[in-house]
Amino acid sequence: QGPSAVAQYSVALTIAQLAAQPTTLLGAALLPHFAELVATGHSAAARETFRAVTRVFALVAFPLCFGLAALAPVLVPLVFGRSFAGAVPPSLVLSGFTSFAAVVPATGAILYAHGETRVVAALSLSTGIAAVVGFALLTLQGLSELIKRIAFLTGHGPDPMLRVDPLAAEKELAKDLGH
């Protein structure tokens, strides 16, 4: 897998993030507007604007994300080439999750406008912790793969690159039953 898997994931992530761009850019632009509303004592207007913006973001993000997911089987090979067809399944999953993430960019703007920097800091810290845990798990996965390959090379284990048909047992049973 190695570099090929990284390339496939990179293409899938590119497809998924493409649909989130409009709301990400607009979310950052909302901070001055929310800050002005809050600073002038119009907190109710800021809350109503936040609700309206979140609805509009959902109306934009969901069709874009799911539309790109629907088109991924055609777009990925067309734009990136047939060798990247393996990026289609992860792009479907990432596009689905990105649709929800694409709705929240206004949240940071409204929190900053209300001076809720502790909430933003806590969210950032939790994201950082999740990233560290994710990298730790990836490191463990990498070590596991390294151990499997060393075991194979020293004659103490099976070939980790050997692809086994996941339906082999079912096919053998079907053959035994005469189907």
Side-chain angles (χ1 to χ4, degrees):
Q1 299 258 1
S4 175
V6 173
Q8 302 288 338
Y9 178 77
S10 177
V11 167
L13 188 59
T14 299
I15 295 292
Q17 288 180 332
L18 184 64
Q21 289 305 308
T23 59
T24 301
L25 295 172
L26 290 172
L30 288 171
L31 178 57
H33 177 68
F34 284 141
E36 180 184 358
L37 287 174
V38 171
T40 57
H42 296 97
S43 291
R47 281 192 298 279
E48 188 53 41
T49 302
F50 172 72
R51 287 186 190 109
V53 165
T54 303
R55 285 190 295 273
V56 169
F57 279 10
L59 286 171
V60 169
F62 285 113
L64 275 176
C65 289
F66 291 113
L68 272 175
L71 295 173
V74 174
L75 283 179
V76 170
L78 182 68
V79 174
F80 296 99
R82 291 188 185 276
S83 60
F84 284 96
V88 171
S91 72
L92 300 178
V93 173
L94 290 170
S95 293
F97 284 107
T98 300
S99 66
F100 294 103
V103 176
V104 292
T107 304
I110 193 80
L111 288 171
Y112 277 123
H114 280 284
E116 297 293 339
T117 55
R118 287 186 179 165
V119 174
V120 175
L123 291 171
S124 297
L125 180 63
S126 64
T127 301
I129 290 170
V132 169
V133 169
F135 283 123
L137 292 172
L138 283 173
T139 302
L140 289 174
Q141 174 64 28
L143 287 173
S144 168
E145 292 298 319
L146 180 63
I147 290 169
K148 288 182 212 174
R149 282 165 176 73
I150 290 172
F152 170 70
L153 291 173
T154 59
H156 293 94
D159 183 355
M161 300 302 287
L162 183 64
R163 300 285 176 223
V164 178
D165 183 2
L167 300 176
E170 287 84 356
K171 289 177 183 176
E172 186 68 30
L173 179 62
K175 190 171 88 175
D176 289 345
L177 295 174
H179 293 285

PDB file of all heavy atoms in Angstrom, residues 124-148:
ATOM      1  N   SER A 124     -10.197  23.728  20.417  1.00  0.00           N
ATOM      2  CA  SER A 124      -8.902  23.582  19.738  1.00  0.00           C
ATOM      3  C   SER A 124      -8.027  22.562  20.459  1.00  0.00           C
ATOM      4  O   SER A 124      -7.359  21.749  19.813  1.00  0.00           O
ATOM      5  CB  SER A 124      -8.185  24.928  19.663  1.00  0.00           C
ATOM      6  OG  SER A 124      -8.922  25.828  18.891  1.00  0.00           O
ATOM      7  N   LEU A 125      -8.036  22.618  21.791  1.00  0.00           N
ATOM      8  CA  LEU A 125      -7.244  21.661  22.566  1.00  0.00           C
ATOM      9  C   LEU A 125      -7.742  20.234  22.347  1.00  0.00           C
ATOM     10  O   LEU A 125      -6.942  19.317  22.149  1.00  0.00           O
ATOM     11  CB  LEU A 125      -7.293  22.021  24.058  1.00  0.00           C
ATOM     12  CG  LEU A 125      -6.513  21.106  24.996  1.00  0.00           C
ATOM     13  CD1 LEU A 125      -5.014  21.171  24.669  1.00  0.00           C
ATOM     14  CD2 LEU A 125      -6.752  21.498  26.439  1.00  0.00           C
ATOM     15  N   SER A 126      -9.062  20.049  22.348  1.00  0.00           N
ATOM     16  CA  SER A 126      -9.597  18.702  22.131  1.00  0.00           C
ATOM     17  C   SER A 126      -9.268  18.198  20.729  1.00  0.00           C
ATOM     18  O   SER A 126      -8.971  17.016  20.536  1.00  0.00           O
ATOM     19  CB  SER A 126     -11.105  18.657  22.381  1.00  0.00           C
ATOM     20  OG  SER A 126     -11.780  19.461  21.447  1.00  0.00           O
ATOM     21  N   THR A 127      -9.284  19.102  19.754  1.00  0.00           N
ATOM     22  CA  THR A 127      -8.898  18.720  18.393  1.00  0.00           C
ATOM     23  C   THR A 127      -7.429  18.319  18.355  1.00  0.00           C
ATOM     24  O   THR A 127      -7.062  17.334  17.717  1.00  0.00           O
ATOM     25  CB  THR A 127      -9.163  19.885  17.415  1.00  0.00           C
ATOM     26  OG1 THR A 127     -10.543  20.211  17.465  1.00  0.00           O
ATOM     27  CG2 THR A 127      -8.777  19.516  16.002  1.00  0.00           C
ATOM     28  N   GLY A 128      -6.595  19.076  19.050  1.00  0.00           N
ATOM     29  CA  GLY A 128      -5.164  18.744  19.121  1.00  0.00           C
ATOM     30  C   GLY A 128      -4.923  17.406  19.783  1.00  0.00           C
ATOM     31  O   GLY A 128      -4.102  16.607  19.308  1.00  0.00           O
ATOM     32  N   ILE A 129      -5.636  17.133  20.855  1.00  0.00           N
ATOM     33  CA  ILE A 129      -5.497  15.843  21.544  1.00  0.00           C
ATOM     34  C   ILE A 129      -5.938  14.710  20.629  1.00  0.00           C
ATOM     35  O   ILE A 129      -5.273  13.672  20.542  1.00  0.00           O
ATOM     36  CB  ILE A 129      -6.293  15.851  22.870  1.00  0.00           C
ATOM     37  CG1 ILE A 129      -5.610  16.789  23.878  1.00  0.00           C
ATOM     38  CG2 ILE A 129      -6.416  14.442  23.439  1.00  0.00           C
ATOM     39  CD1 ILE A 129      -6.438  17.057  25.119  1.00  0.00           C
ATOM     40  N   ALA A 130      -7.045  14.915  19.925  1.00  0.00           N
ATOM     41  CA  ALA A 130      -7.517  13.888  18.986  1.00  0.00           C
ATOM     42  C   ALA A 130      -6.485  13.637  17.892  1.00  0.00           C
ATOM     43  O   ALA A 130      -6.264  12.486  17.490  1.00  0.00           O
ATOM     44  CB  ALA A 130      -8.855  14.297  18.379  1.00  0.00           C
ATOM     45  N   ALA A 131      -5.839  14.701  17.428  1.00  0.00           N
ATOM     46  CA  ALA A 131      -4.806  14.540  16.390  1.00  0.00           C
ATOM     47  C   ALA A 131      -3.618  13.750  16.927  1.00  0.00           C
ATOM     48  O   ALA A 131      -3.090  12.864  16.244  1.00  0.00           O
ATOM     49  CB  ALA A 131      -4.354  15.897  15.871  1.00  0.00           C
ATOM     50  N   VAL A 132      -3.192  14.044  18.146  1.00  0.00           N
ATOM     51  CA  VAL A 132      -2.064  13.317  18.752  1.00  0.00           C
ATOM     52  C   VAL A 132      -2.427  11.842  18.925  1.00  0.00           C
ATOM     53  O   VAL A 132      -1.621  10.953  18.613  1.00  0.00           O
ATOM     54  CB  VAL A 132      -1.655  13.960  20.097  1.00  0.00           C
ATOM     55  CG1 VAL A 132      -0.688  13.077  20.867  1.00  0.00           C
ATOM     56  CG2 VAL A 132      -1.043  15.330  19.854  1.00  0.00           C
ATOM     57  N   VAL A 133      -3.634  11.572  19.401  1.00  0.00           N
ATOM     58  CA  VAL A 133      -4.070  10.179  19.565  1.00  0.00           C
ATOM     59  C   VAL A 133      -4.130   9.491  18.205  1.00  0.00           C
ATOM     60  O   VAL A 133      -3.689   8.341  18.062  1.00  0.00           O
ATOM     61  CB  VAL A 133      -5.451  10.121  20.282  1.00  0.00           C
ATOM     62  CG1 VAL A 133      -6.049   8.726  20.221  1.00  0.00           C
ATOM     63  CG2 VAL A 133      -5.308  10.572  21.728  1.00  0.00           C
ATOM     64  N   GLY A 134      -4.634  10.182  17.198  1.00  0.00           N
ATOM     65  CA  GLY A 134      -4.682   9.610  15.852  1.00  0.00           C
ATOM     66  C   GLY A 134      -3.300   9.277  15.324  1.00  0.00           C
ATOM     67  O   GLY A 134      -3.074   8.198  14.770  1.00  0.00           O
ATOM     68  N   PHE A 135      -2.349  10.202  15.498  1.00  0.00           N
ATOM     69  CA  PHE A 135      -0.979   9.940  15.043  1.00  0.00           C
ATOM     70  C   PHE A 135      -0.354   8.792  15.823  1.00  0.00           C
ATOM     71  O   PHE A 135       0.390   7.984  15.265  1.00  0.00           O
ATOM     72  CB  PHE A 135      -0.108  11.195  15.135  1.00  0.00           C
ATOM     73  CG  PHE A 135      -0.358  12.168  14.027  1.00  0.00           C
ATOM     74  CD1 PHE A 135      -0.738  13.469  14.308  1.00  0.00           C
ATOM     75  CD2 PHE A 135      -0.234  11.796  12.692  1.00  0.00           C
ATOM     76  CE1 PHE A 135      -0.973  14.375  13.285  1.00  0.00           C
ATOM     77  CE2 PHE A 135      -0.472  12.691  11.668  1.00  0.00           C
ATOM     78  CZ  PHE A 135      -0.842  13.985  11.966  1.00  0.00           C
ATOM     79  N   ALA A 136      -0.665   8.701  17.120  1.00  0.00           N
ATOM     80  CA  ALA A 136      -0.140   7.594  17.927  1.00  0.00           C
ATOM     81  C   ALA A 136      -0.682   6.261  17.404  1.00  0.00           C
ATOM     82  O   ALA A 136       0.061   5.283  17.278  1.00  0.00           O
ATOM     83  CB  ALA A 136      -0.505   7.784  19.400  1.00  0.00           C
ATOM     84  N   LEU A 137      -1.966   6.232  17.080  1.00  0.00           N
ATOM     85  CA  LEU A 137      -2.560   5.007  16.541  1.00  0.00           C
ATOM     86  C   LEU A 137      -1.966   4.659  15.174  1.00  0.00           C
ATOM     87  O   LEU A 137      -1.719   3.484  14.885  1.00  0.00           O
ATOM     88  CB  LEU A 137      -4.075   5.140  16.451  1.00  0.00           C
ATOM     89  CG  LEU A 137      -4.810   5.200  17.789  1.00  0.00           C
ATOM     90  CD1 LEU A 137      -6.284   5.524  17.581  1.00  0.00           C
ATOM     91  CD2 LEU A 137      -4.642   3.906  18.573  1.00  0.00           C
ATOM     92  N   LEU A 138      -1.731   5.678  14.355  1.00  0.00           N
ATOM     93  CA  LEU A 138      -1.097   5.428  13.058  1.00  0.00           C
ATOM     94  C   LEU A 138       0.319   4.892  13.235  1.00  0.00           C
ATOM     95  O   LEU A 138       0.756   4.016  12.484  1.00  0.00           O
ATOM     96  CB  LEU A 138      -1.065   6.711  12.222  1.00  0.00           C
ATOM     97  CG  LEU A 138      -2.373   7.095  11.568  1.00  0.00           C
ATOM     98  CD1 LEU A 138      -2.263   8.458  10.905  1.00  0.00           C
ATOM     99  CD2 LEU A 138      -2.809   6.064  10.554  1.00  0.00           C
ATOM    100  N   THR A 139       1.031   5.417  14.231  1.00  0.00           N
ATOM    101  CA  THR A 139       2.379   4.930  14.519  1.00  0.00           C
ATOM    102  C   THR A 139       2.339   3.465  14.929  1.00  0.00           C
ATOM    103  O   THR A 139       3.158   2.659  14.472  1.00  0.00           O
ATOM    104  CB  THR A 139       3.036   5.785  15.620  1.00  0.00           C
ATOM    105  OG1 THR A 139       3.072   7.142  15.176  1.00  0.00           O
ATOM    106  CG2 THR A 139       4.434   5.310  15.942  1.00  0.00           C
ATOM    107  N   LEU A 140       1.377   3.112  15.774  1.00  0.00           N
ATOM    108  CA  LEU A 140       1.233   1.710  16.183  1.00  0.00           C
ATOM    109  C   LEU A 140       0.907   0.821  14.980  1.00  0.00           C
ATOM    110  O   LEU A 140       1.438  -0.286  14.858  1.00  0.00           O
ATOM    111  CB  LEU A 140       0.148   1.570  17.249  1.00  0.00           C
ATOM    112  CG  LEU A 140       0.495   2.134  18.623  1.00  0.00           C
ATOM    113  CD1 LEU A 140      -0.712   2.060  19.547  1.00  0.00           C
ATOM    114  CD2 LEU A 140       1.676   1.390  19.227  1.00  0.00           C
ATOM    115  N   GLN A 141       0.056   1.299  14.089  1.00  0.00           N
ATOM    116  CA  GLN A 141      -0.273   0.547  12.879  1.00  0.00           C
ATOM    117  C   GLN A 141       0.972   0.349  12.031  1.00  0.00           C
ATOM    118  O   GLN A 141       1.222  -0.727  11.503  1.00  0.00           O
ATOM    119  CB  GLN A 141      -1.361   1.265  12.070  1.00  0.00           C
ATOM    120  CG  GLN A 141      -1.670   0.629  10.736  1.00  0.00           C
ATOM    121  CD  GLN A 141      -2.251  -0.762  10.845  1.00  0.00           C
ATOM    122  OE1 GLN A 141      -2.893  -1.096  11.823  1.00  0.00           O
ATOM    123  NE2 GLN A 141      -2.018  -1.580   9.841  1.00  0.00           N
ATOM    124  N   GLY A 142       1.771   1.414  11.890  1.00  0.00           N
ATOM    125  CA  GLY A 142       3.009   1.329  11.120  1.00  0.00           C
ATOM    126  C   GLY A 142       3.983   0.331  11.729  1.00  0.00           C
ATOM    127  O   GLY A 142       4.610  -0.460  11.023  1.00  0.00           O
ATOM    128  N   LEU A 143       4.101   0.349  13.064  1.00  0.00           N
ATOM    129  CA  LEU A 143       4.981  -0.613  13.741  1.00  0.00           C
ATOM    130  C   LEU A 143       4.483  -2.041  13.534  1.00  0.00           C
ATOM    131  O   LEU A 143       5.274  -2.962  13.337  1.00  0.00           O
ATOM    132  CB  LEU A 143       5.080  -0.292  15.236  1.00  0.00           C
ATOM    133  CG  LEU A 143       5.902   0.936  15.585  1.00  0.00           C
ATOM    134  CD1 LEU A 143       5.774   1.254  17.078  1.00  0.00           C
ATOM    135  CD2 LEU A 143       7.360   0.734  15.215  1.00  0.00           C
ATOM    136  N   SER A 144       3.168  -2.205  13.577  1.00  0.00           N
ATOM    137  CA  SER A 144       2.587  -3.528  13.346  1.00  0.00           C
ATOM    138  C   SER A 144       2.941  -4.035  11.951  1.00  0.00           C
ATOM    139  O   SER A 144       3.325  -5.204  11.775  1.00  0.00           O
ATOM    140  CB  SER A 144       1.067  -3.453  13.512  1.00  0.00           C
ATOM    141  OG  SER A 144       0.445  -4.617  13.048  1.00  0.00           O
ATOM    142  N   GLU A 145       2.806  -3.159  10.951  1.00  0.00           N
ATOM    143  CA  GLU A 145       3.145  -3.549   9.579  1.00  0.00           C
ATOM    144  C   GLU A 145       4.633  -3.852   9.450  1.00  0.00           C
ATOM    145  O   GLU A 145       5.019  -4.795   8.762  1.00  0.00           O
ATOM    146  CB  GLU A 145       2.740  -2.440   8.597  1.00  0.00           C
ATOM    147  CG  GLU A 145       1.244  -2.250   8.473  1.00  0.00           C
ATOM    148  CD  GLU A 145       0.542  -3.481   7.932  1.00  0.00           C
ATOM    149  OE1 GLU A 145       1.071  -4.126   6.999  1.00  0.00           O
ATOM    150  OE2 GLU A 145      -0.543  -3.808   8.436  1.00  0.00           O
ATOM    151  N   LEU A 146       5.461  -3.072  10.115  1.00  0.00           N
ATOM    152  CA  LEU A 146       6.906  -3.301  10.085  1.00  0.00           C
ATOM    153  C   LEU A 146       7.247  -4.663  10.696  1.00  0.00           C
ATOM    154  O   LEU A 146       8.041  -5.420  10.134  1.00  0.00           O
ATOM    155  CB  LEU A 146       7.632  -2.179  10.832  1.00  0.00           C
ATOM    156  CG  LEU A 146       9.151  -2.280  10.893  1.00  0.00           C
ATOM    157  CD1 LEU A 146       9.745  -2.190   9.491  1.00  0.00           C
ATOM    158  CD2 LEU A 146       9.707  -1.180  11.791  1.00  0.00           C
ATOM    159  N   ILE A 147       6.633  -4.985  11.817  1.00  0.00           N
ATOM    160  CA  ILE A 147       6.873  -6.271  12.482  1.00  0.00           C
ATOM    161  C   ILE A 147       6.446  -7.429  11.572  1.00  0.00           C
ATOM    162  O   ILE A 147       7.161  -8.427  11.445  1.00  0.00           O
ATOM    163  CB  ILE A 147       6.145  -6.324  13.840  1.00  0.00           C
ATOM    164  CG1 ILE A 147       6.830  -5.367  14.821  1.00  0.00           C
ATOM    165  CG2 ILE A 147       6.104  -7.743  14.396  1.00  0.00           C
ATOM    166  CD1 ILE A 147       6.055  -5.122  16.096  1.00  0.00           C
ATOM    167  N   LYS A 148       5.299  -7.295  10.901  1.00  0.00           N
ATOM    168  CA  LYS A 148       4.838  -8.344   9.986  1.00  0.00           C
ATOM    169  C   LYS A 148       5.832  -8.562   8.849  1.00  0.00           C
ATOM    170  O   LYS A 148       6.123  -9.694   8.472  1.00  0.00           O
ATOM    171  CB  LYS A 148       3.471  -7.979   9.391  1.00  0.00           C
ATOM    172  CG  LYS A 148       2.321  -8.078  10.343  1.00  0.00           C
ATOM    173  CD  LYS A 148       1.043  -7.741   9.579  1.00  0.00           C
ATOM    174  CE  LYS A 148       0.042  -7.081  10.445  1.00  0.00           C
ATOM    175  NZ  LYS A 148      -1.129  -6.630   9.688  1.00  0.00           N
TER     176      LYS A 148
END
